[in-house]
Amino acid sequence: MAIKRGRGVAAINYPTGMNLGGDPTQALVHSTPTGNFMVTLSSVDLGQGMKQIMAQICAETIGVPTDRVVVDTADTDTGPHCMGTFASRGTHRAGNAVIQAAREARQVMLEVAAEELEVNASDLETDGQGNILVKGAPQRSISIFDVALSAHFKRGRSISGRGMFLIPRSYPEKETGAMKPSTCYAHACTVAEVEVDDETGEITVLTVKNVFEIGRALNPKMVEQQLVGGSWMGISHALYETTEPYYPDRDHGGTDFNQYLMPGPGDLAQTEIIVLERPSADGPYGAKGPGEMCANPQIPAIANAVFDAVGVRIDTLPITPERILRALKAQASN
């Protein structure tokens, strides 16, 4: 009996949004009288950073600092329509809708500024710090604060915009069945190294090294946090989590979170994350959706590592010591 080491590799691609398309998201953007901007969405922030990313996208598009943007996710009764926060679609779908709305609001803002400066709107640009400048003559400028005041109280203009992003649904060709299920795919590859005790069946995950291709990291630190957390979640799915350990029999299944098995800090492997940026043609500033994908490749990589270590293929999750010992016993009896 011995502790045996194995290494496994797995690679995946993952569609952004609902397959077949047809999942719209709307956004509204408007300026306050003091030149701050409000983004209204029904896309919900589940803790993944949706509000921060939408604020960044709006600020980049309009040309203001991010702290001048507030994101209100409202609710589905009062906010603009959204299919929901799922399918790794939040940044891609809502982000594109915000860009459309912000562009429309920006155009109104520039038109009001042009009236104040007595130039054409096409001759203006923003400096990203809250000012609008005449191209080639930056000494001629006006603050967005003053433009908003003028729009509200002098010009009678609403600095606002509407956006909606919808990928047309793809239908199979009758003759060939060919179709386009998604316009945007993220990719990942994981290498996992494990030790397996062939006497007890216990698995120790030593290292998990992940490479994620996510289009463009709009907020690199938040992306890193999500990818590391997703990697840990993948380990948890692979080795620990289940409500029905003897499915379809419910015996010995956890009944609450006190009995639901998950890894603790001491059970998590050394984790490495590498981000590759290959901007998506239809993503907001090139972004794709990394949300669900980041917890996927670790599962087959660990399963492959277990096979490499002890020569048994476990195809039921989680990969428990009991299942490994049963597989080893069956292998020995053949």
Side-chain angles (χ1 to χ4, degrees):
M1 300 298 179
I3 293 177
K4 299 184 177 181
R5 181 171 292 199
R7 179 179 294 165
V9 181
I12 66 167
N13 66 0
Y14 203 92
T16 297
M18 292 174 63
N19 286 342
L20 310 179
D23 58 334
T25 289
Q26 298 176 345
L28 302 174
V29 173
H30 73 271
S31 167
T32 67
T34 55
N36 292 322
F37 287 85
M38 176 70 70
V39 179
T40 305
L41 299 167
S42 290
S43 306
V44 177
D45 193 325
L46 304 175
Q48 78 277 33
M50 167 80 76
K51 287 186 174 182
Q52 175 63 27
I53 294 302
M54 293 305 110
Q56 288 182 213
I57 289 173
C58 179
E60 178 70 19
T61 305
I62 292 176
V64 296
T66 302
D67 61 11
R68 297 281 292 271
V69 179
V70 176
V71 177
D72 177 17
T73 53
D75 62 49
T76 53
D77 283 335
T78 61
H81 178 257
C82 177
M83 287 295 289
T85 302
F86 61 93
S88 303
R89 66 187 296 282
T91 294
H92 189 269
R93 302 303 200 256
N96 275 312
V98 168
I99 286 176
Q100 290 183 17
R103 283 175 177 166
E104 188 173 298
R106 174 186 168 89
Q107 182 58 35
V108 177
M109 179 183 74
L110 293 179
E111 289 172 2
V112 173
E115 293 182 58
E116 292 295 314
L117 294 171
E118 298 182 341
V119 296
N120 292 324
S122 60
D123 294 329
L124 298 176
E125 62 185 0
T126 52
D127 66 356
Q129 301 300 316
N131 301 295
I132 299 172
L133 318 174
V134 176
K135 296 176 183 176
Q139 70 277 8
R140 294 191 63 195
S141 66
I142 185 171
S143 70
I144 291 175
F145 177 91
D146 288 332
V147 171
L149 288 175
S150 174
H152 282 81
F153 300 110
K154 180 179 177 182
R155 305 289 178 179
R157 300 289 301 275
S158 173
I159 300 178
S160 59
R162 301 159 297 171
M164 180 169 181
F165 186 72
L166 171 66
I167 293 176
R169 185 171 179 180
S170 175
Y171 292 92
E173 296 176 3
K174 292 182 179 179
E175 296 78 12
T176 65
M179 60 178 302
K180 193 172 185 179
S182 181
T183 65
C184 179
Y185 291 86
H187 305 84
C189 181
T190 293
V191 178
E193 191 168 9
V194 305
E195 287 183 342
V196 182
D197 188 325
D198 64 3
E199 183 175 8
T200 66
E202 184 179 2
I203 306 168
T204 302
V205 183
L206 302 175
T207 63
V208 175
K209 299 179 180 180
N210 306 278
V211 178
F212 295 100
E213 187 278 298
I214 61 168
R216 187 176 181 188
L218 301 186
N219 187 310
K221 184 54 66 175
M222 288 177 63
V223 166
E224 179 186 355
Q225 291 169 347
Q226 187 165 21
L227 297 180
V228 170
S231 183
W232 292 347
M233 187 180 292
I235 296 172
S236 188
H237 288 328
L239 301 181
Y240 296 89
E241 295 188 51
T242 181
T243 57
E244 298 170 325
Y246 298 101
Y247 180 82
D249 193 328
R250 284 287 294 146
D251 288 350
H252 305 289
T255 57
D256 57 35
F257 280 113
N258 291 319
Q259 299 175 341
Y260 189 79
L261 189 61
M262 291 186 289
D267 301 310
L268 296 171
Q270 178 183 341
T271 302
E272 183 177 344
I273 301 293
I274 296 175
V275 175
L276 298 180
E277 294 186 294
R278 300 291 186 272
S280 168
D282 68 349
Y285 297 105
K288 300 178 181 180
E292 293 164 313
M293 173 196 70
C294 59
N296 284 195
Q298 300 79 19
I299 300 169
I302 289 172
N304 289 337
V306 169
F307 177 77
D308 185 49
V310 292
V312 294
R313 179 69 69 186
I314 309 299
D315 58 8
T316 301
L317 295 179
I319 304 171
T320 61
E322 178 181 354
R323 286 182 171 140
I324 289 177
L325 292 179
R326 288 182 184 277
L328 289 172
K329 183 177 180 181
Q331 183 186 66
S333 65
N334 290 335

